[in-house]
Amino acid sequence: MAAVAAFGLLLAGCGDDGSSGTGATGEGSGSGGARTITWWVMKGTNPDSTAFYNEVKAAFKKATGATLVVQEVEWADAHDRLVRAFAGGGGPDVAEIGSTWTPEFAAAGGLVDLTGRITSSGLNKDLLPALKDSATYDGKQWGVGWYAGTRGIVYRKDIFAKHNLKVPTTWAELQQVVKTLKTKEPGLLPIAGGSSYAAAPFVWGAGGDFAKQENGKWVGTLDSPQAREGLSFYTGLATKDGSSSPGAATWKETQLLDSFSQGKSAMVIQGNWTPKTAVEKNPDLKNKMGAFAIPGKNGGMAPTFLGGSNLAVLKTTKNADLSWRLVQLLTTGDLATKWATQTGFFPSTTTGMKTFTQSNDPLVQPFAKAMTEAGKNVPNAPQWGTVEGDKTLTQMLQSILTGTPVDAATKKASDAIGKTLNSGG
């Protein structure tokens, strides 16, 4: 999911009810006549989307008396469609946007500042800090987290039990588990592949970061001693301890999941939606999986990236107050919990997360606790989406995993990050 750009991102024709919708330029902006607003939502996150959309439309009608038109949008086209809407109108009133897009769109002047509405509603006190940060730019909040996910380690409980392995609680213990599995289960990859999202907890866990602001400019910081320490440990699991294969260095996250689902790896760093997907791919795994938070260097939980979607009101709307009511409806209460449950993701509020952090499901609670207690966001820079689009982090990891020294790879990546974040375009 870029934040959820990793989920996948084409406008799928008309609204789900066959209406093209009037959106920001439509009827009902004022008090006279029927009021209608349009919501763009990304396609594919919820397999039972039609039933959910109908429920939202009914709830919105009951709460406001207004009509909601829902239009599904494919992630692949969404960014450019929204940019065109900012410039020329004709877009939605409310849109789901990837969390890493929010600073970019806010800086471009495309969104309504929701700070006052969020504060007066009290919602600001309930939002998870990392998700609140993802919607904040220049000290103001331009969206509200709708749903999110985080990563942890999904593992084969049966294989751990076979070799009397305990869930690791430190980096040293994780390294020892990798070494044991490499020796005793030579037919399996201890941990399959590598990705920027999987590496982030180790960068942060060692006290490093991807970038910081100095004197009004962004500076890439993956070449700091702390970031290099975390990356050296993470990539060293593969290059020194044999946690993965050289070919897996270029695998996509779907391929990492396939490796685990097909019984070719004992552990995989993946999102909280992984267990459900893995069982769908291989029902034999149903009672053979466990999950644990990525451990901190010396204990506890390492900070973990939260990727997800925010809901934002477009500047071109003619009814910002009504649009805000929809945002509230979707991000609080039963509808927020229902969406999270159906999609396998989590809601964005502390209140909404209680159901999941208190869950007895061992494949849910570890992820939920990591999200609420150790969630962290990537640098809140307008051009961070470009960094991800350029695959700067992916290419850095692939180069390290295929032989480039950590110092050289991180220097190149840091320079590229600084240049991109300061480009302004």
Side-chain angles (χ1 to χ4, degrees), residues 25-278:
T25 59
E27 164 190 6
S29 313
S31 57
R35 298 182 302 164
T36 299
I37 68 167
T38 299
W39 172 37
W40 278 8
V41 57
M42 302 308 159
K43 186 176 182 179
T45 307
N46 182 358
D48 190 25
S49 55
T50 300
F52 181 81
Y53 298 156
N54 287 338
E55 189 171 352
V56 173
K57 286 189 281 189
F60 186 69
K61 188 78 169 182
K62 181 178 181 180
T64 68
T67 298
L68 174 64
V69 174
V70 182
Q71 294 181 339
E72 284 198 326
V73 181
E74 297 277 2
W75 279 110
D77 276 356
H79 182 282
D80 291 348
R81 290 288 302 242
L82 285 165
V83 170
R84 289 196 293 271
F86 300 156
D93 298 272
V94 178
E96 173 189 356
I97 60 177
S99 58
T100 58
W101 295 356
T102 311
E104 175 192 353
F105 290 167
L111 306 179
V112 172
D113 176 6
L114 297 178
T115 308
R117 293 178 173 89
I118 293 170
T119 301
S120 62
S121 70
L123 185 57
N124 62 309
K125 299 177 182 179
D126 199 25
L127 293 172
L128 295 176
L131 295 178
K132 184 177 180 180
D133 288 347
S134 77
T136 301
Y137 173 72
D138 197 25
K140 301 174 182 179
Q141 194 165 348
W142 305 89
V144 178
W146 183 25
Y147 65 91
T150 193
R151 283 164 174 75
I153 299 180
V154 182
Y155 72 103
R156 289 283 298 274
K157 287 195 305 182
D158 55 333
I159 293 174
F160 269 51
K162 177 181 176 182
H163 302 295
N164 296 314
L165 293 172
K166 295 182 179 179
V167 168
T169 60
T170 66
W171 288 5
E173 290 178 4
L174 177 61
Q175 184 179 37
Q176 187 56 54
V177 168
V178 166
K179 290 180 177 180
T180 300
L181 289 171
K182 181 67 177 177
T183 300
K184 295 189 175 183
E185 293 287 343
L188 294 177
L189 297 178
I191 304 181
S195 73
S196 56
Y197 299 114
F202 298 95
V203 172
W204 289 326
D209 209 336
F210 296 94
K212 65 179 180 180
Q213 281 189 298
E214 288 184 353
N215 301 319
K217 289 190 175 183
W218 285 95
V219 178
T221 55
L222 283 172
D223 55 352
S224 70
Q226 296 87 352
R228 282 174 169 167
E229 178 191 358
L231 284 168
S232 294
F233 175 81
Y234 173 65
T235 57
L237 291 175
T239 59
K240 297 177 181 178
D241 303 319
S243 67
S244 192
S245 65
T250 59
W251 284 357
K252 298 176 181 179
E253 291 210 15
T254 52
Q255 292 172 294
L256 301 180
L257 176 57
D258 286 344
S259 173
F260 183 80
S261 300
Q262 294 167 8
K264 297 177 181 179
S265 57
M267 293 184 287
V268 64
I269 299 178
Q270 286 268 280
N272 50 281
W273 54 92
T274 297
K276 178 181 177 182
T277 306

Side-chain angles (χ1 to χ4, degrees), residues 342-355:
Q342 290 180 10
T343 60
F345 291 97
F346 291 134
S348 63
T349 62
T350 301
T351 300
M353 283 299 296
K354 285 183 179 179
T355 299

Side-chain angles (χ1 to χ4, degrees), residues 282-295:
N282 183 0
D284 290 342
L285 291 176
K286 185 174 182 180
N287 297 312
K288 297 178 181 179
M289 291 185 297
F292 58 93
I294 298 172

